Amino acid sequence: MARRMRAAIFSEYGGPEVVDVRDVPVPEPGPDEVRLKVEASSMNHLDLWVRRGLPIETPMPHIGGADIAGSVDAVGPGAEDVPLGVRVVVDPSLSYGWYDEDGRGPSFANEKLRLIGEHTQGGFAEYAIAPASNLLELPAGFEATDAAAAGLVFVTAWRGLITRGGLRTGERVLITGASGGVSTAAIQIAKAAGAKVYAVTSGPANVERVSELGADVVYDRKRVDFSREVWMDTSKRGVDLVFDAVGELIWPQCLKALAVGGRLVTYGATTGARGTTELRVVFWKQLSILGTTMGSPGEFRTVMRMVFDGRFTPIVQEVLPLAEARRAHERLEAGDVFGKLVLVP
Ligand SMILES: NC(=O)c1ccc[n+]([C@@H]2O[C@H](COP(=O)([O-])OP(=O)(O)OC[C@H]3O[C@@H](n4cnc5c(N)ncnc54)[C@H](OP(=O)(O)O)[C@@H]3O)[C@@H](O)[C@H]2O)c1
């Protein structure tokens, strides 16, 4: 009989209640793939979209979890060079050909971007499958929970701020949704790049924690109109770059907060995808609106090495057992998380 494993799985789209922890067969690696014994897998907002049914190519029943760290347990044909037992973190982006490495953005001539845990079965399980080419070895003693918390959010923030946004020393950057997974990574990257960081979050406890992370000026979106505050705090100049995924609800304020010649880098639409754009603001201030998604293999390795070096710290709010996967969905959906939740089997 096939070996069985525990997995957080859903068979229909819906709210957190569709997530169940069940016994399923242990997967077998295919050509150029490995099987990992999962040590940790972190939650991303992506897992909420996938569970709600936003992408249409999710294999069902589905195991979420794009961010995986663990040890190689078996190798498929063509992946025999990967040593058994090696501890790794997985780059969540599939179809690497989607990226050029010149930093200009996706190569649309190539195949379309796919993600582990969205277009394939992910890491919320005892075992998971990943392409051998996506593995990055962990330094000895590096915590799997930190590695799994870092991958997707740091590569997204790195590409968005540095490659696409071209953030430079001395510039002013505004980071919205500052308590989120990507944003807690972005604050650290922006500070390391020598920028002055303005951040928007919710509630006094988050304001304090975002300041502790290194943000220079922090606004509570529940108390103030941050675009007005940014305007005043920059002597009516605005910021050079806004890094936003909150989307629709605050899109006009993000545009207003920009200085002449400013760049708005958008990487998500948490509150909706139809922001109203005041075109006069865009052309009069000569703004640039840039999209970004995930990152190339080179960007993943660059930023993860900085995480391994201790230059950046993944912000882990809590490590939960896999059995509490449904609660993890509920908590991330409620906005009750600072940084990341990590599940361990
Ligand atoms: N394009 C890509 O490659 C890519 C990669 C990663 C993520 N994303 C997208 O980016 C977004 C953030 O991802 P994540 O994993 O970092 O999410 P997350 O950890 O759930 O953080 C989202 C943050 O958004 C803020 N927020 C939520 N609801 C809000 C509301 N009604 N009004 C204002 N702010 C609100 C909250 O921050 P505060 O309470 O601090 O304001 C929250 O912490 C998601 O939409 C995700 O799908 C895209």
Side-chain angles (χ1 to χ4, degrees):
M1 206 176 91
R3 281 170 69 203
R4 314 276 295 173
M5 67 172 186
R6 302 294 283 165
I9 196 161
F10 55 85
S11 305
E12 55 178 329
Y13 298 124
E17 69 284 352
V18 299
V19 179
D20 233 346
V21 177
R22 290 208 309 261
D23 275 355
V24 298
V26 171
E28 291 302 326
D32 303 317
E33 290 179 340
V34 304
R35 181 172 66 210
L36 298 171
K37 186 171 188 338
V38 177
E39 287 183 49
S41 185
S42 79
M43 288 283 301
N44 287 287
H45 213 90
L46 172 69
D47 293 300
L48 309 184
W49 297 123
V50 171
R51 191 209 66 222
R52 291 170 192 153
L54 194 71
I56 47 171
E57 296 163 52
T58 301
M60 283 289 210
H62 189 68
I63 302 170
D67 268 324
I68 310 170
S71 57
V72 174
D73 166 75
V75 295
E80 293 87 355
D81 287 352
V82 182
L84 291 178
V86 65
R87 293 179 72 241
V88 296
V89 61
V90 181
D91 181 343
S93 298
L94 299 167
S95 346
Y96 275 175
W98 199 70
Y99 290 101
D100 65 35
E101 287 280 356
D102 302 333
R104 284 177 292 113
S107 303
F108 292 113
N110 291 328
E111 59 194 310
K112 133 178 179 210
L113 178 69
R114 298 163 71 247
L115 300 179
I116 291 177
E118 176 176 345
H119 301 89
T120 69
Q121 305 291 2
F124 297 150
E126 288 178 277
Y127 295 91
I129 301 296
S133 54
N134 283 52
L135 308 182
L136 181 63
E137 187 169 350
L138 294 182
F142 198 86
E143 292 287 347
T145 46
D146 285 340
L152 191 150
V153 296
F154 272 93
V155 75
T156 303
W158 182 266
R159 181 179 179 83
L161 288 174
I162 307 297
T163 312
R164 298 285 287 148
L167 186 62
R168 293 183 293 271
T169 307
E171 286 195 312
R172 296 167 168 147
V173 58
L174 175 71
I175 295 170
T176 59
S179 69
V182 178
S183 299
T184 50
I187 291 166
Q188 298 178 59
I189 292 170
K191 283 307 291 177
K196 178 162 183 178
V197 175
Y198 298 74
V200 186
T201 187
S202 55
N206 280 350
V207 168
E208 203 176 313
R209 296 188 71 180
V210 169
S211 303
E212 282 166 11
L213 258 185
D216 299 283
V217 185
V218 187
Y219 306 107
D220 183 346
R221 64 177 159 88
K222 298 200 164 159
R223 290 192 44 237
V224 298
D225 172 354
F226 69 85
S227 62
R228 176 187 286 268
E229 300 291 314
V230 165
W231 198 241
M232 300 317 288
D233 288 345
T234 56
S235 309
K236 302 190 179 175
R237 182 185 171 279
V239 294
D240 304 293
L241 196 157
V242 173
F243 189 59
D244 177 71
V246 173
E248 185 165 317
L249 200 67
I250 64 166
W251 184 254
Q253 289 161 281
C254 289
L255 287 168
K256 266 196 215 161
L258 282 168
V260 170
R263 293 100 72 200
L264 201 173
V265 177
T266 167
Y267 65 96
T270 306
T271 64
R274 289 186 167 70
T276 303
T277 301
E278 167 71 48
L279 294 176
R280 276 177 293 235
V281 175
V282 177
F283 67 72
W284 194 250
K285 291 209 282 184
Q286 310 213 27
L287 304 180
S288 302
I289 298 175
L290 302 157
T292 193
T293 278
M294 303 296 289
S296 70
E299 287 161 336
F300 179 78
R301 280 165 168 69
T302 298
V303 76
M304 285 307 291
R305 291 210 175 93
M306 293 167 93
V307 171
F308 295 158
D309 286 351
R311 269 185 277 177
F312 300 136
T313 307
I315 305 302
V316 177
Q317 158 123 9
E318 209 174 326
V319 178
L320 297 167
L322 182 64
E324 293 190 35
R326 185 183 295 175
R327 196 161 77 85
H329 275 258
E330 285 166 354
R331 285 181 55 185
L332 197 63
E333 198 145 80
D336 172 32
V337 180
F338 191 92
K340 302 277 292 174
L341 289 179
V342 181
L343 293 171
V344 290

